[in-house]
Amino acid sequence: MKTLRLSLLVVCTLSLAACGGSDSNSEAAPSEVAPEAAEQPGVHAMVTCYAYLLDGTNLSGPTLNPFPVTGSVAQCINLPAASDNLTSSFRLANCGAFFFDGANCTGASFAAPTSSLTMPPGFDNVTTSLRFY
């Protein structure tokens, strides 16, 4: 049986990242956060992704529920009916996101590798689902 040993520093760093401790605008790549984990075959850091969605531009207006939207990489998340087609600005943490105009991550999409004060023209108030990457 193999034993996996991570230094206390790496475990603490991974814990902070999983709690939304870094914005997707940060310059640190995931491999810089935990180099020992990247060297171990079959070891994957669990990262929680966050999307803070707002109804107004420039991160203003009412927040959309759930606030924040949380998930993992590659997970498709449908917004509840009360928040459907209302996203005008957003902030991302730990991951980028694809925003879709259809349920179950279908239809037209917009890729956002970083946070934005305003949705791009043509995608304001059309988000129905999203997938983190």
Side-chain angles (χ1 to χ4, degrees):
M1 179 192 297
K2 289 186 176 182
T3 303
L4 175 63
R5 294 184 184 143
L6 295 175
S7 70
L8 182 58
L9 176 62
V10 172
V11 172
C12 291
T13 303
L14 287 173
S15 295
L16 286 174
C19 294
S22 65
D23 186 53
S24 63
N25 287 332
S26 72
E27 296 177 18
S31 62
E32 292 174 68
V33 173
E36 292 98 355
E39 295 169 4
Q40 299 290 328
V43 175
H44 303 283
M46 296 301 295
V47 175
T48 301
C49 305
Y50 299 86
Y52 300 86
L53 309 179
L54 294 108
D55 191 14
T57 59
N58 298 316
L59 301 176
S60 67
T63 58
L64 302 178
N65 290 319
F67 192 83
V69 174
T70 59
S72 57
V73 172
Q75 180 181 7
C76 179
I77 300 165
N78 289 313
L79 296 179
S83 297
D84 190 19
N85 295 316
L86 294 176
T87 303
S88 292
S89 60
F90 59 91
R91 188 175 76 81
L92 301 172
N94 295 340
C95 306
F98 286 104
F99 294 90
F100 294 87
D101 68 357
N104 301 314
C105 298
T106 61
S109 66
F110 160 67
T114 61
S115 299
S116 178
L117 297 177
T118 305
M119 282 299 235
F123 228 82
D124 186 31
N125 293 325
V126 299
T127 299
T128 298
S129 59
L130 62 96
R131 175 175 287 135
F132 292 111
Y133 68 91

PDB file of all heavy atoms in Angstrom, residues 20-30 48-52 90-97 112-116 132-133:
ATOM      1  N   GLY A  20     -11.996  29.460  -1.171  1.00  0.00           N
ATOM      2  CA  GLY A  20     -12.203  30.680  -1.932  1.00  0.00           C
ATOM      3  C   GLY A  20     -11.168  31.737  -1.630  1.00  0.00           C
ATOM      4  O   GLY A  20     -11.449  32.916  -1.745  1.00  0.00           O
ATOM      5  N   GLY A  21      -9.969  31.319  -1.268  1.00  0.00           N
ATOM      6  CA  GLY A  21      -8.951  32.256  -0.848  1.00  0.00           C
ATOM      7  C   GLY A  21      -8.245  32.979  -1.969  1.00  0.00           C
ATOM      8  O   GLY A  21      -7.461  33.860  -1.715  1.00  0.00           O
ATOM      9  N   SER A  22      -8.494  32.644  -3.221  1.00  0.00           N
ATOM     10  CA  SER A  22      -7.816  33.352  -4.293  1.00  0.00           C
ATOM     11  C   SER A  22      -8.795  33.678  -5.398  1.00  0.00           C
ATOM     12  O   SER A  22      -9.717  32.930  -5.678  1.00  0.00           O
ATOM     13  CB  SER A  22      -6.666  32.507  -4.852  1.00  0.00           C
ATOM     14  OG  SER A  22      -7.161  31.338  -5.453  1.00  0.00           O
ATOM     15  N   ASP A  23      -8.596  34.824  -6.028  1.00  0.00           N
ATOM     16  CA  ASP A  23      -9.430  35.259  -7.136  1.00  0.00           C
ATOM     17  C   ASP A  23      -8.847  34.670  -8.413  1.00  0.00           C
ATOM     18  O   ASP A  23      -7.660  34.419  -8.511  1.00  0.00           O
ATOM     19  CB  ASP A  23      -9.417  36.792  -7.191  1.00  0.00           C
ATOM     20  CG  ASP A  23     -10.371  37.337  -8.232  1.00  0.00           C
ATOM     21  OD1 ASP A  23     -11.551  36.947  -8.176  1.00  0.00           O
ATOM     22  OD2 ASP A  23      -9.940  38.148  -9.074  1.00  0.00           O
ATOM     23  N   SER A  24      -9.670  34.462  -9.414  1.00  0.00           N
ATOM     24  CA  SER A  24      -9.175  33.880 -10.656  1.00  0.00           C
ATOM     25  C   SER A  24      -8.234  34.829 -11.382  1.00  0.00           C
ATOM     26  O   SER A  24      -7.575  34.440 -12.313  1.00  0.00           O
ATOM     27  CB  SER A  24     -10.335  33.491 -11.566  1.00  0.00           C
ATOM     28  OG  SER A  24     -11.072  34.646 -11.932  1.00  0.00           O
ATOM     29  N   ASN A  25      -8.151  36.088 -10.950  1.00  0.00           N
ATOM     30  CA  ASN A  25      -7.218  37.031 -11.539  1.00  0.00           C
ATOM     31  C   ASN A  25      -5.800  36.849 -11.000  1.00  0.00           C
ATOM     32  O   ASN A  25      -4.876  37.461 -11.484  1.00  0.00           O
ATOM     33  CB  ASN A  25      -7.651  38.476 -11.247  1.00  0.00           C
ATOM     34  CG  ASN A  25      -8.855  38.863 -12.057  1.00  0.00           C
ATOM     35  OD1 ASN A  25      -9.070  38.342 -13.138  1.00  0.00           O
ATOM     36  ND2 ASN A  25      -9.653  39.785 -11.534  1.00  0.00           N
ATOM     37  N   SER A  26      -5.626  36.017  -9.986  1.00  0.00           N
ATOM     38  CA  SER A  26      -4.305  35.862  -9.385  1.00  0.00           C
ATOM     39  C   SER A  26      -3.340  35.259 -10.390  1.00  0.00           C
ATOM     40  O   SER A  26      -3.732  34.555 -11.300  1.00  0.00           O
ATOM     41  CB  SER A  26      -4.378  34.996  -8.133  1.00  0.00           C
ATOM     42  OG  SER A  26      -4.595  33.664  -8.491  1.00  0.00           O
ATOM     43  N   GLU A  27      -2.063  35.532 -10.178  1.00  0.00           N
ATOM     44  CA  GLU A  27      -1.053  35.062 -11.115  1.00  0.00           C
ATOM     45  C   GLU A  27      -0.552  33.667 -10.789  1.00  0.00           C
ATOM     46  O   GLU A  27       0.130  33.058 -11.592  1.00  0.00           O
ATOM     47  CB  GLU A  27       0.107  36.055 -11.132  1.00  0.00           C
ATOM     48  CG  GLU A  27      -0.312  37.423 -11.651  1.00  0.00           C
ATOM     49  CD  GLU A  27       0.822  38.424 -11.595  1.00  0.00           C
ATOM     50  OE1 GLU A  27       1.986  37.995 -11.494  1.00  0.00           O
ATOM     51  OE2 GLU A  27       0.545  39.618 -11.654  1.00  0.00           O
ATOM     52  N   ALA A  28      -0.851  33.134  -9.622  1.00  0.00           N
ATOM     53  CA  ALA A  28      -0.346  31.816  -9.235  1.00  0.00           C
ATOM     54  C   ALA A  28      -1.126  30.728  -9.951  1.00  0.00           C
ATOM     55  O   ALA A  28      -2.340  30.702  -9.925  1.00  0.00           O
ATOM     56  CB  ALA A  28      -0.468  31.626  -7.725  1.00  0.00           C
ATOM     57  N   ALA A  29      -0.422  29.856 -10.610  1.00  0.00           N
ATOM     58  CA  ALA A  29      -1.052  28.716 -11.268  1.00  0.00           C
ATOM     59  C   ALA A  29      -1.257  27.612 -10.250  1.00  0.00           C
ATOM     60  O   ALA A  29      -0.530  27.528  -9.268  1.00  0.00           O
ATOM     61  CB  ALA A  29      -0.153  28.222 -12.409  1.00  0.00           C
ATOM     62  N   PRO A  30      -2.252  26.717 -10.464  1.00  0.00           N
ATOM     63  CA  PRO A  30      -2.477  25.650  -9.501  1.00  0.00           C
ATOM     64  C   PRO A  30      -1.237  24.810  -9.234  1.00  0.00           C
ATOM     65  O   PRO A  30      -1.023  24.365  -8.134  1.00  0.00           O
ATOM     66  CB  PRO A  30      -3.577  24.811 -10.157  1.00  0.00           C
ATOM     67  CG  PRO A  30      -4.282  25.765 -11.050  1.00  0.00           C
ATOM     68  CD  PRO A  30      -3.228  26.737 -11.520  1.00  0.00           C
ATOM     69  N   THR A  48     -12.737  24.289  -4.936  1.00  0.00           N
ATOM     70  CA  THR A  48     -14.100  24.783  -5.014  1.00  0.00           C
ATOM     71  C   THR A  48     -14.078  26.081  -5.807  1.00  0.00           C
ATOM     72  O   THR A  48     -13.285  26.973  -5.528  1.00  0.00           O
ATOM     73  CB  THR A  48     -14.693  25.029  -3.613  1.00  0.00           C
ATOM     74  OG1 THR A  48     -14.666  23.795  -2.892  1.00  0.00           O
ATOM     75  CG2 THR A  48     -16.112  25.535  -3.694  1.00  0.00           C
ATOM     76  N   CYS A  49     -14.938  26.166  -6.805  1.00  0.00           N
ATOM     77  CA  CYS A  49     -15.033  27.347  -7.649  1.00  0.00           C
ATOM     78  C   CYS A  49     -16.199  28.212  -7.177  1.00  0.00           C
ATOM     79  O   CYS A  49     -17.199  27.690  -6.685  1.00  0.00           O
ATOM     80  CB  CYS A  49     -15.276  26.932  -9.099  1.00  0.00           C
ATOM     81  SG  CYS A  49     -14.047  25.772  -9.735  1.00  0.00           S
ATOM     82  N   TYR A  50     -16.051  29.532  -7.330  1.00  0.00           N
ATOM     83  CA  TYR A  50     -17.071  30.464  -6.879  1.00  0.00           C
ATOM     84  C   TYR A  50     -17.422  31.440  -7.995  1.00  0.00           C
ATOM     85  O   TYR A  50     -16.532  31.928  -8.690  1.00  0.00           O
ATOM     86  CB  TYR A  50     -16.561  31.284  -5.689  1.00  0.00           C
ATOM     87  CG  TYR A  50     -16.209  30.451  -4.484  1.00  0.00           C
ATOM     88  CD1 TYR A  50     -14.952  29.878  -4.355  1.00  0.00           C
ATOM     89  CD2 TYR A  50     -17.130  30.242  -3.470  1.00  0.00           C
ATOM     90  CE1 TYR A  50     -14.623  29.121  -3.248  1.00  0.00           C
ATOM     91  CE2 TYR A  50     -16.812  29.483  -2.357  1.00  0.00           C
ATOM     92  CZ  TYR A  50     -15.555  28.924  -2.258  1.00  0.00           C
ATOM     93  OH  TYR A  50     -15.242  28.167  -1.164  1.00  0.00           O
ATOM     94  N   ALA A  51     -18.707  31.739  -8.140  1.00  0.00           N
ATOM     95  CA  ALA A  51     -19.180  32.787  -9.051  1.00  0.00           C
ATOM     96  C   ALA A  51     -20.168  33.650  -8.283  1.00  0.00           C
ATOM     97  O   ALA A  51     -21.188  33.160  -7.801  1.00  0.00           O
ATOM     98  CB  ALA A  51     -19.834  32.179 -10.285  1.00  0.00           C
ATOM     99  N   TYR A  52     -19.812  34.907  -8.142  1.00  0.00           N
ATOM    100  CA  TYR A  52     -20.677  35.872  -7.458  1.00  0.00           C
ATOM    101  C   TYR A  52     -21.426  36.631  -8.554  1.00  0.00           C
ATOM    102  O   TYR A  52     -20.827  37.438  -9.268  1.00  0.00           O
ATOM    103  CB  TYR A  52     -19.834  36.829  -6.606  1.00  0.00           C
ATOM    104  CG  TYR A  52     -19.023  36.120  -5.553  1.00  0.00           C
ATOM    105  CD1 TYR A  52     -17.769  35.592  -5.842  1.00  0.00           C
ATOM    106  CD2 TYR A  52     -19.522  35.969  -4.262  1.00  0.00           C
ATOM    107  CE1 TYR A  52     -17.020  34.933  -4.872  1.00  0.00           C
ATOM    108  CE2 TYR A  52     -18.781  35.310  -3.283  1.00  0.00           C
ATOM    109  CZ  TYR A  52     -17.542  34.804  -3.603  1.00  0.00           C
ATOM    110  OH  TYR A  52     -16.794  34.151  -2.645  1.00  0.00           O
ATOM    111  N   PHE A  90     -20.253  39.936 -12.717  1.00  0.00           N
ATOM    112  CA  PHE A  90     -19.866  38.769 -11.920  1.00  0.00           C
ATOM    113  C   PHE A  90     -18.435  38.886 -11.449  1.00  0.00           C
ATOM    114  O   PHE A  90     -17.628  39.607 -12.027  1.00  0.00           O
ATOM    115  CB  PHE A  90     -20.037  37.480 -12.726  1.00  0.00           C
ATOM    116  CG  PHE A  90     -19.227  37.450 -13.996  1.00  0.00           C
ATOM    117  CD1 PHE A  90     -17.945  36.918 -14.014  1.00  0.00           C
ATOM    118  CD2 PHE A  90     -19.751  37.957 -15.175  1.00  0.00           C
ATOM    119  CE1 PHE A  90     -17.197  36.890 -15.179  1.00  0.00           C
ATOM    120  CE2 PHE A  90     -19.013  37.937 -16.345  1.00  0.00           C
ATOM    121  CZ  PHE A  90     -17.733  37.408 -16.351  1.00  0.00           C
ATOM    122  N   ARG A  91     -18.152  38.168 -10.382  1.00  0.00           N
ATOM    123  CA  ARG A  91     -16.788  38.008  -9.873  1.00  0.00           C
ATOM    124  C   ARG A  91     -16.556  36.519  -9.731  1.00  0.00           C
ATOM    125  O   ARG A  91     -17.414  35.793  -9.228  1.00  0.00           O
ATOM    126  CB  ARG A  91     -16.607  38.705  -8.530  1.00  0.00           C
ATOM    127  CG  ARG A  91     -15.148  38.710  -8.064  1.00  0.00           C
ATOM    128  CD  ARG A  91     -14.952  39.495  -6.790  1.00  0.00           C
ATOM    129  NE  ARG A  91     -15.407  38.775  -5.623  1.00  0.00           N
ATOM    130  CZ  ARG A  91     -14.712  37.834  -4.987  1.00  0.00           C
ATOM    131  NH1 ARG A  91     -13.530  37.455  -5.436  1.00  0.00           N
ATOM    132  NH2 ARG A  91     -15.195  37.254  -3.915  1.00  0.00           N
ATOM    133  N   LEU A  92     -15.392  36.038 -10.188  1.00  0.00           N
ATOM    134  CA  LEU A  92     -15.041  34.620 -10.105  1.00  0.00           C
ATOM    135  C   LEU A  92     -13.883  34.425  -9.140  1.00  0.00           C
ATOM    136  O   LEU A  92     -13.016  35.290  -9.027  1.00  0.00           O
ATOM    137  CB  LEU A  92     -14.634  34.097 -11.488  1.00  0.00           C
ATOM    138  CG  LEU A  92     -15.674  34.226 -12.591  1.00  0.00           C
ATOM    139  CD1 LEU A  92     -15.064  33.850 -13.939  1.00  0.00           C
ATOM    140  CD2 LEU A  92     -16.884  33.366 -12.288  1.00  0.00           C
ATOM    141  N   ALA A  93     -13.866  33.296  -8.458  1.00  0.00           N
ATOM    142  CA  ALA A  93     -12.749  32.950  -7.589  1.00  0.00           C
ATOM    143  C   ALA A  93     -12.363  31.497  -7.825  1.00  0.00           C
ATOM    144  O   ALA A  93     -13.221  30.629  -7.896  1.00  0.00           O
ATOM    145  CB  ALA A  93     -13.119  33.170  -6.118  1.00  0.00           C
ATOM    146  N   ASN A  94     -11.092  31.248  -7.990  1.00  0.00           N
ATOM    147  CA  ASN A  94     -10.459  29.934  -8.137  1.00  0.00           C
ATOM    148  C   ASN A  94     -10.587  29.312  -9.517  1.00  0.00           C
ATOM    149  O   ASN A  94      -9.806  28.437  -9.845  1.00  0.00           O
ATOM    150  CB  ASN A  94     -10.940  28.936  -7.082  1.00  0.00           C
ATOM    151  CG  ASN A  94     -10.538  29.326  -5.694  1.00  0.00           C
ATOM    152  OD1 ASN A  94      -9.622  30.101  -5.499  1.00  0.00           O
ATOM    153  ND2 ASN A  94     -11.225  28.799  -4.712  1.00  0.00           N
ATOM    154  N   CYS A  95     -11.585  29.680 -10.317  1.00  0.00           N
ATOM    155  CA  CYS A  95     -11.797  29.050 -11.617  1.00  0.00           C
ATOM    156  C   CYS A  95     -12.386  30.063 -12.593  1.00  0.00           C
ATOM    157  O   CYS A  95     -13.003  31.039 -12.183  1.00  0.00           O
ATOM    158  CB  CYS A  95     -12.800  27.895 -11.505  1.00  0.00           C
ATOM    159  SG  CYS A  95     -12.399  26.657 -10.272  1.00  0.00           S
ATOM    160  N   GLY A  96     -12.243  29.763 -13.867  1.00  0.00           N
ATOM    161  CA  GLY A  96     -12.976  30.497 -14.887  1.00  0.00           C
ATOM    162  C   GLY A  96     -14.348  29.858 -15.034  1.00  0.00           C
ATOM    163  O   GLY A  96     -14.641  28.834 -14.404  1.00  0.00           O
ATOM    164  N   ALA A  97     -15.187  30.444 -15.871  1.00  0.00           N
ATOM    165  CA  ALA A  97     -16.529  29.894 -16.050  1.00  0.00           C
ATOM    166  C   ALA A  97     -17.011  30.112 -17.481  1.00  0.00           C
ATOM    167  O   ALA A  97     -16.664  31.103 -18.120  1.00  0.00           O
ATOM    168  CB  ALA A  97     -17.507  30.525 -15.075  1.00  0.00           C
ATOM    169  N   ALA A 112     -15.431  33.074 -19.600  1.00  0.00           N
ATOM    170  CA  ALA A 112     -14.893  34.130 -18.753  1.00  0.00           C
ATOM    171  C   ALA A 112     -13.755  33.560 -17.913  1.00  0.00           C
ATOM    172  O   ALA A 112     -13.999  32.901 -16.910  1.00  0.00           O
ATOM    173  CB  ALA A 112     -15.986  34.693 -17.854  1.00  0.00           C
ATOM    174  N   PRO A 113     -12.498  33.803 -18.303  1.00  0.00           N
ATOM    175  CA  PRO A 113     -11.379  33.295 -17.509  1.00  0.00           C
ATOM    176  C   PRO A 113     -11.157  34.098 -16.232  1.00  0.00           C
ATOM    177  O   PRO A 113     -10.530  33.614 -15.303  1.00  0.00           O
ATOM    178  CB  PRO A 113     -10.188  33.428 -18.458  1.00  0.00           C
ATOM    179  CG  PRO A 113     -10.575  34.512 -19.410  1.00  0.00           C
ATOM    180  CD  PRO A 113     -12.074  34.449 -19.536  1.00  0.00           C
ATOM    181  N   THR A 114     -11.670  35.327 -16.175  1.00  0.00           N
ATOM    182  CA  THR A 114     -11.487  36.185 -15.008  1.00  0.00           C
ATOM    183  C   THR A 114     -12.782  36.927 -14.694  1.00  0.00           C
ATOM    184  O   THR A 114     -13.743  36.877 -15.456  1.00  0.00           O
ATOM    185  CB  THR A 114     -10.376  37.231 -15.245  1.00  0.00           C
ATOM    186  OG1 THR A 114     -10.750  38.046 -16.354  1.00  0.00           O
ATOM    187  CG2 THR A 114      -9.036  36.584 -15.519  1.00  0.00           C
ATOM    188  N   SER A 115     -12.784  37.640 -13.596  1.00  0.00           N
ATOM    189  CA  SER A 115     -13.948  38.420 -13.181  1.00  0.00           C
ATOM    190  C   SER A 115     -14.236  39.539 -14.169  1.00  0.00           C
ATOM    191  O   SER A 115     -13.357  39.970 -14.904  1.00  0.00           O
ATOM    192  CB  SER A 115     -13.703  39.030 -11.801  1.00  0.00           C
ATOM    193  OG  SER A 115     -13.501  38.009 -10.862  1.00  0.00           O
ATOM    194  N   SER A 116     -15.476  40.005 -14.173  1.00  0.00           N
ATOM    195  CA  SER A 116     -15.854  41.090 -15.065  1.00  0.00           C
ATOM    196  C   SER A 116     -16.850  42.011 -14.375  1.00  0.00           C
ATOM    197  O   SER A 116     -17.753  41.546 -13.674  1.00  0.00           O
ATOM    198  CB  SER A 116     -16.484  40.530 -16.340  1.00  0.00           C
ATOM    199  OG  SER A 116     -16.905  41.580 -17.186  1.00  0.00           O
ATOM    200  N   PHE A 132     -17.896  25.620 -14.561  1.00  0.00           N
ATOM    201  CA  PHE A 132     -16.569  26.091 -14.160  1.00  0.00           C
ATOM    202  C   PHE A 132     -15.479  25.359 -14.925  1.00  0.00           C
ATOM    203  O   PHE A 132     -15.630  24.195 -15.278  1.00  0.00           O
ATOM    204  CB  PHE A 132     -16.355  25.882 -12.658  1.00  0.00           C
ATOM    205  CG  PHE A 132     -17.227  26.759 -11.801  1.00  0.00           C
ATOM    206  CD1 PHE A 132     -18.249  26.219 -11.046  1.00  0.00           C
ATOM    207  CD2 PHE A 132     -17.004  28.128 -11.743  1.00  0.00           C
ATOM    208  CE1 PHE A 132     -19.046  27.016 -10.229  1.00  0.00           C
ATOM    209  CE2 PHE A 132     -17.797  28.934 -10.949  1.00  0.00           C
ATOM    210  CZ  PHE A 132     -18.820  28.379 -10.181  1.00  0.00           C
ATOM    211  N   TYR A 133     -14.349  26.044 -15.172  1.00  0.00           N
ATOM    212  CA  TYR A 133     -13.181  25.409 -15.767  1.00  0.00           C
ATOM    213  C   TYR A 133     -11.921  25.912 -15.132  1.00  0.00           C
ATOM    214  O   TYR A 133     -11.900  26.873 -14.429  1.00  0.00           O
ATOM    215  CB  TYR A 133     -13.144  25.590 -17.285  1.00  0.00           C
ATOM    216  CG  TYR A 133     -12.921  26.994 -17.765  1.00  0.00           C
ATOM    217  CD1 TYR A 133     -11.615  27.455 -18.002  1.00  0.00           C
ATOM    218  CD2 TYR A 133     -13.969  27.871 -18.016  1.00  0.00           C
ATOM    219  CE1 TYR A 133     -11.403  28.736 -18.461  1.00  0.00           C
ATOM    220  CE2 TYR A 133     -13.753  29.140 -18.479  1.00  0.00           C
ATOM    221  CZ  TYR A 133     -12.467  29.574 -18.700  1.00  0.00           C
ATOM    222  OH  TYR A 133     -12.236  30.843 -19.169  1.00  0.00           O
TER     223      TYR A 133
END
